[in-house]
Amino acid sequence: MYENIYLALHAIVAPAWILLAVAPGWRWTQRLVHAALIPLVLCAIYLAFLTAAIGFGQADPDAGMSTLAGVMALFSHPVGALTGWTHFLVYDLFVGAWIVRDARRHGIAHWIVLPALFLSLMFGPLGLLLYLLIRKFSGKGGWSLDEAAVG
């Protein structure tokens, strides 16, 4: 059962990443990814897992966030691992979608950000790092993340 849930999570998020990579400006990409539909679905799933873990005891009794041992215990139960994995999926997708929008705002060609999108999908923060380096060294955006400052 848990393995099927894990696979279903990927079935939800994979289309969003494909759309970001191959059709970033398409209206359905805008409706599904940039309008937060897929992230909202994942957030609801995350809430369900978190409720199951906290409210219904589907977690290791030693789980918590105040010690490393407690955090490790969070991921020792399948519901805890799925909760954490969903957390990663939501935030990685959010960052990937932001990269696409930000690159468009700064006039950075989409093909240049594709490696950053791939790294965001696979290794989260490394994709953001690469994109920020692309911005800085392309002269299009620098280090500022202030979206209002885009001219």
Side-chain angles (χ1 to χ4, degrees):
M1 174 179 88
Y2 295 121
E3 186 67 26
N4 290 337
I5 294 170
Y6 178 81
L7 294 173
L9 288 170
H10 289 103
I12 293 168
V13 78
W17 281 104
I18 292 167
L19 288 170
L20 286 175
V22 300
W26 190 39
R27 65 184 167 117
W28 284 101
T29 306
Q30 300 301 315
R31 290 179 180 170
L32 295 173
V33 183
H34 296 296
L37 178 62
I38 294 172
L40 284 171
V41 168
L42 290 170
C43 288
I45 292 168
Y46 175 82
L47 179 60
F49 288 144
L50 196 60
T51 301
I54 295 171
F56 298 102
Q58 292 184 358
D60 187 303
D62 296 326
M65 290 191 240
S66 60
T67 66
L68 178 57
V71 171
M72 290 170 62
L74 283 172
F75 295 98
S76 68
H77 188 281
V79 171
L82 287 167
T83 304
W85 190 244
T86 304
H87 183 279
F88 292 137
L89 291 175
V90 170
Y91 277 98
D92 290 351
L93 180 58
F94 185 84
V95 168
W98 177 82
I99 287 171
V100 168
R101 289 189 308 274
D102 191 72
R104 224 179 347 198
R105 277 191 296 274
H106 288 288
I108 300 170
H110 185 68
W111 68 269
I112 294 172
V113 301
L114 284 174
L117 283 179
F118 177 75
L119 285 177
S120 294
L121 169 63
M122 300 304 293
F123 305 107
L126 295 181
L128 179 59
L129 172 64
L130 178 59
Y131 177 67
L132 293 175
L133 290 171
I134 289 168
R135 283 181 65 189
K136 176 64 176 171
F137 294 110
S138 69
K140 297 181 177 184
W143 295 120
S144 175
L145 299 179
D146 183 359
E147 294 175 8
V150 176

